[in-house]
Amino acid sequence: MSHPVRQDYTPPGLRPDALISVGSAEEISTDVLIIGSGMGGSSLAWALKDSGLDVLVAERGHFLPREPQNSQPAEMYIKGRYKNAGYWYDGSTGKPFAPGVYYWVGGNTRFYGAMLPRFRRSDFTEVEHHEGVSHAWPFGYDDLEPFYTVMEQLLQVHGQTGEDPTEPPRSKPYPYPALQHEPEIERFARSLRRQGLHPFHTPNALNISTQADRAAVTTADGCPDETGMKSDAENRLLLPALRDGVKILTGAEITRLITSPDGRKIVAAEARHAGRTVRINARTFALAGGAVNSAALLLRSADDAHPQGLGNSSGLLGRNYMVHNSTFFVGVNPVRTNPTQWQKTLGLNDFYEAGPGTRFPLGNLQMLGKLQAPMLKPARPWAPTWALKFMAARSLDIYLTTEDLPSRDNRVRVDGDRVLIDWTPTNLAPHHELVRRVTRAVRKAGYPLIFTQRMGIETNSHMCGTAVAGHDPAESVLDPLCRSHDVENLWVTDSSFFPSSAALNPALTIGANALRIAPSLARATKYLMP
């Protein structure tokens, strides 16, 4: 069994006064309270660090230690060393499941593969899909483009333009050159090009230059990274903000938001901290706990002025939950090994948008980090370890994503402390077609054995849509700047605001949007000050 993870770890160089201690106080006060320290919360904290406002980040988790176990797949996948989110419940069956989320400073970015694509221009527009319509956003790609550029610089994204036919226009090139393919992935790319496809070098936030660097981060897609070479929300956004005056309270689970008697604004948040309840007073409240937890907090904060949940006059809070249709796709050539260390350098968007031969959008192909036997064991517990090692040594590992369409029936509900998820996948036919097309391409590339597993309700790291943004208060929860239509000092900076899910990793879009709305949030906060 794993030894317990330290809860008192602090990163080197952290200012002593940045990590606050409540002590015996029953309440504390700040100008801006950011709830959650993942991509949305940390990006907002960075954007507000020079605003002159007192900014406090409340995080239910602690700093995750940088330790050798970070990069040991058995610790992560078999022993569950860093799993700390407990259980959510399938609303249709009542059965518990362990969600794919993590309560640590930096949130899910501590475990992501640092794939940071921009959404395509079409993703911000209304798009017809096989099983329905993907809703237009209340702002366009051009509104977000400058903030994509800033985020790519902050996260030190490596990429290459001119290869992906769906690539949107850019005001500046990538700040760092693309990570080059290792030999086996370059061989795969050549095969795809011979088949008339357009593989491209993925935008990736790993600072690796040597093969030794690649070996050190080979498990960084799915595991934490103790080297610091992977850019995540903690090391590239939050720690710089903490050095410049932002403060953080760890181990603080926000359980309820308290409104003024007329319900027009929030006056305080209640937090469970060190076994007791602490009140946090603030002028502005920004939710960044993830699309499920932010919705659950607002639902639990119902009061006389907001009987259906805080800011829920539209009845849409918690609804339109989306997570992507995704498949782990493994091709195996039993007579050739794949010694690639960092595999996540290739993507394919030829089927992303409708066009000749593709009536409806199908989705995205990107490589997974190189699979190892302990990563496969949870999915195939009956398989002997030797067989999994044989397979992993010879596999080409791919992640396929198709857009999950918004549905009012797919939603987040709460029952006391329990979180319930009602989710029936939508738009599956295009996903099956994507799997079929990729199967043909991978077999032509020399991998005759194909293994696939479509992800279920527990794979929700790309969740979004539970507090959609829009112009019409009757059809949305938030306005175009992600401020509540109903509560004047409530903002949401995680992926809850997404009107549609696109079919790409959401992290860069979450961060860019937090930068976009930060000036308005700061101005509104100062307006509320005496």
Side-chain angles (χ1 to χ4, degrees), residues 129-371:
H129 287 263
H130 182 269
E131 294 182 18
V133 171
S134 175
H135 297 322
W137 291 36
F139 56 90
Y141 172 80
D142 292 338
D143 297 306
L144 205 57
E145 198 283 333
F147 305 101
Y148 273 140
T149 297
V150 175
M151 285 300 299
E152 287 170 344
Q153 293 168 343
L154 290 172
L155 295 170
Q156 303 174 14
V157 178
H158 297 63
Q160 183 170 320
T161 58
E163 297 179 310
D164 177 4
T166 70
E167 182 177 35
R170 309 173 57 89
S171 58
K172 291 183 179 179
Y174 285 103
Y176 295 90
L179 301 179
Q180 295 305 301
H181 303 320
E182 294 177 50
E184 192 65 15
I185 306 307
E186 180 57 40
R187 181 183 177 279
F188 180 46
R190 288 197 301 270
S191 175
L192 293 175
R193 287 192 288 269
R194 286 195 298 268
Q195 296 177 51
L197 301 173
H198 302 84
F200 60 90
H201 290 81
T202 54
N204 208 271
L206 278 178
N207 287 299
I208 50 178
S209 55
T210 68
Q211 201 60 23
D213 290 343
R214 290 179 179 241
V217 300
T218 190
T219 64
D221 184 12
C223 291
D225 164 45
E226 74 267 31
T227 71
M229 288 188 283
K230 179 170 79 173
S231 294
D232 57 44
E234 181 201 298
N235 64 2
R236 299 291 183 256
L237 300 168
L238 185 60
L239 291 181
L242 294 176
R243 287 195 289 269
D244 281 353
V246 172
K247 293 182 170 57
I248 187 169
L249 176 65
T250 60
E253 179 184 358
I254 305 300
T255 57
R256 187 166 71 101
L257 300 174
I258 303 167
T259 63
S260 57
D262 61 7
R264 293 183 59 187
K265 65 180 182 178
I266 303 168
V267 295
E270 286 187 353
R272 288 195 196 108
H273 179 68
R276 59 196 183 87
T277 299
V278 176
R279 178 182 170 112
I280 306 175
N281 303 310
R283 303 182 192 281
T284 296
F285 296 77
L287 269 61
V292 168
N293 284 318
S294 288
L297 175 59
L298 293 173
L299 290 167
R300 289 191 179 112
S301 300
D303 56 24
D304 290 343
H306 304 274
Q308 297 184 85
L310 202 56
N312 193 23
S313 63
S314 65
L316 293 174
L317 179 63
R319 296 185 181 273
N320 297 304
Y321 171 76
M322 297 169 280
V323 290
H324 285 157
N325 298 310
S326 55
T327 288
F328 278 21
F329 182 107
V330 177
V332 175
N333 184 328
V335 299
R336 186 174 66 244
T337 59
N338 178 6
T340 305
Q341 297 290 344
W342 183 248
Q343 187 173 240
K344 208 172 180 70
T345 57
L346 180 146
L348 189 74
N349 277 337
D350 286 64
F351 314 126
Y352 193 86
E353 298 175 325
T358 304
R359 183 179 176 190
F360 297 103
L362 302 184
N364 166 261
L365 175 156
Q366 63 181 266
M367 305 305 296
L368 288 165
K370 190 67 198 76
L371 292 182

Side-chain angles (χ1 to χ4, degrees), residues 383-446:
T385 300
W386 66 264
L388 297 177
K389 288 182 177 178
F390 181 91
M391 178 179 178
R394 292 159 177 81
S395 68
L396 189 75
D397 315 305
I398 293 170
Y399 192 67
L400 300 178
T401 305
T402 301
E403 187 160 343
D404 185 23
L405 301 180
S407 168
R408 289 175 63 98
D409 295 332
N410 287 340
R411 62 186 297 198
V412 178
R413 295 184 287 126
V414 294
D415 178 17
D417 285 339
R418 298 199 316 162
V419 171
L420 293 89
I421 306 296
D422 298 324
W423 180 61
T424 300
T426 64
N427 208 34
L428 280 176
H431 189 67
H432 296 324
E433 176 61 20
L434 179 63
V435 172
R436 283 192 290 268
R437 294 191 186 192
V438 173
T439 296
R440 289 196 298 268
V442 171
R443 282 184 170 146
K444 287 181 179 179

Side-chain angles (χ1 to χ4, degrees), residues 446-461:
Y447 291 85
L449 305 180
I450 303 297
F451 302 88
T452 64
Q453 180 167 329
R454 188 166 65 83
M455 299 295 98
I457 195 171
E458 71 286 343
T459 305
N460 46 17
S461 55

Side-chain angles (χ1 to χ4, degrees), residues 136-139 467-471 476-480 482 485 496-499:
W137 291 36
F139 56 90
V468 295
H471 295 284
S476 56
V477 178
L478 308 171
D479 72 13
C482 298
H485 288 301
S496 302
F497 84 89
F498 283 24

